[in-house]
Amino acid sequence: MAIKVAVSGCAGRMGSTVVDAVQAAEDMELVCGIDPYASNDFGYPVYASISDALQHESFDVLVDFTQPSVVANNLEVALPAGVDCVVGTTGLSQEKLEELAALAPKGTCLFYAPNFTTGAVLMMEFAKVAAPYFPEAEVLEFHHCNKKDAPSGTAVRTAELIASARDFESQAPGKETEIEGAEGARGALVSGVPVHSVRSMGYVASQEVIFGSLGQTLTIRHDSWDRTSYMPGVLLGIRSVENKEGLIVGLENFMY
């Protein structure tokens, strides 16, 4: 039986790519899209809100690629209705995710992935493995100029994983030397790890993690040049939430 899917943010770049992927998957059915800015005929039902969609349609999974300012409101409607949610919109704190997951009835899953590309997940896992062996680490992330949040969810997650794998805290050398009027030159500290965000036309999503110790550096880098690179992870998330419940953070939970 096909998994019935609704896509919130269907008129956006990522949302429209998710729609194409769901429609191409033999084990899924696109029931509807949700987007208040949709004005064209999409060839499938599109509703302005989650509430409106739930009044007219029945679906198993909601995929959300919207904006940080609206994703929480979407989940506050979908989760209490017993709809499993696959969320790629970043900007939600762990505390907020836990608060939202508590709204869901038993048997309902909130799956949140800072990044849906398998390569980015492996990059974060490799960084976690390397973290205890290097006294210093920095995260540099590069995204298109229209991204709504900085640093990215992937960068925040990477910094958190690095910190969790250590029994010491990075000294973030040079932070104390930032000149007046240029504070932040050494990046934002996320869990004690400097994170630098670049926003520019030409990028989709890239990140590198630089580790340093006496006489050596180790650089781990991942690049996404097309949004289709996220789709295998999104489809994996949709297929995996059916038999899960509660809050699950990170695609690695379904990869191995």
Side-chain angles (χ1 to χ4, degrees):
M1 189 172 181
I3 305 169
K4 295 184 177 181
V5 181
V7 178
S8 184
C10 62
R13 296 181 183 90
M14 278 298 297
S16 61
T17 307
V18 173
V19 166
D20 291 341
V22 169
Q23 289 179 320
E26 295 182 356
D27 59 342
M28 297 180 193
E29 175 190 347
L30 178 70
V31 173
C32 66
I34 298 109
D35 202 309
Y37 303 106
S39 57
N40 299 323
D41 182 5
F42 284 77
Y44 55 86
V46 178
Y47 300 95
S49 69
I50 304 294
S51 297
D52 196 17
L54 286 170
Q55 288 178 3
H56 293 86
E57 310 286 353
S58 175
F59 43 90
D60 306 309
V61 179
L62 173 72
V63 180
D64 190 292
F65 277 93
T66 54
Q67 298 183 21
S69 60
V70 301
V71 59
N73 291 336
N74 289 343
L75 299 178
E76 286 172 355
V77 176
L79 287 169
V83 177
D84 293 323
C85 294
V86 174
V87 181
T89 306
T90 55
L92 294 172
S93 67
Q94 181 69 23
E95 292 74 19
K96 187 61 177 179
L97 288 168
E98 292 172 357
E99 177 186 321
L100 290 166
L103 300 174
K106 187 175 177 59
T108 303
C109 180
L110 169 55
F111 171 55
Y112 172 81
N115 198 303
F116 277 96
T117 58
T118 52
V121 171
L122 291 171
M123 171 193 61
M124 289 187 277
E125 291 297 297
F126 296 158
K128 184 178 178 181
V129 171
Y133 301 97
F134 292 85
E136 303 303 341
E138 308 214 6
V139 178
L140 290 78
E141 55 101 347
F142 310 79
H143 281 81
H144 56 91
C145 57
N146 294 318
K147 185 169 175 57
K148 301 297 183 182
D149 56 334
S152 69
T154 303
V156 171
R157 178 69 171 163
T158 303
E160 291 172 345
L161 289 172
I162 290 171
S164 70
R166 296 168 154 181
D167 58 2
F168 59 90
E169 187 171 327
S170 172
Q171 298 303 306
K175 188 74 176 175
E176 72 284 354
T177 66
E178 291 175 336
I179 63 175
E180 185 177 352
E183 292 82 2
R186 289 289 297 114
L189 287 180
V190 179
S191 298
V193 179
V195 176
H196 310 264
S197 298
V198 176
R199 297 290 177 265
S200 177
M201 290 186 290
Y203 288 109
V204 175
S206 299
Q207 179 174 292
E208 61 183 63
V209 187
I210 303 174
F211 291 99
S213 67
L214 195 61
Q216 65 172 332
T217 60
L218 170 66
T219 300
I220 305 169
R221 182 179 176 107
H222 175 261
D223 299 290
S224 290
W225 299 118
D226 191 274
R227 290 175 178 83
T228 54
S229 64
Y230 295 86
M231 294 308 106
V234 172
L235 297 182
L236 176 60
I238 294 171
R239 293 181 177 117
S240 300
V241 292
E242 180 181 7
N243 299 314
K244 301 292 190 298
E245 67 178 19
L247 175 63
I248 300 176
V249 177
L251 189 63
E252 65 273 12
N253 291 284
F254 299 149
M255 285 178 57
Y256 38 79

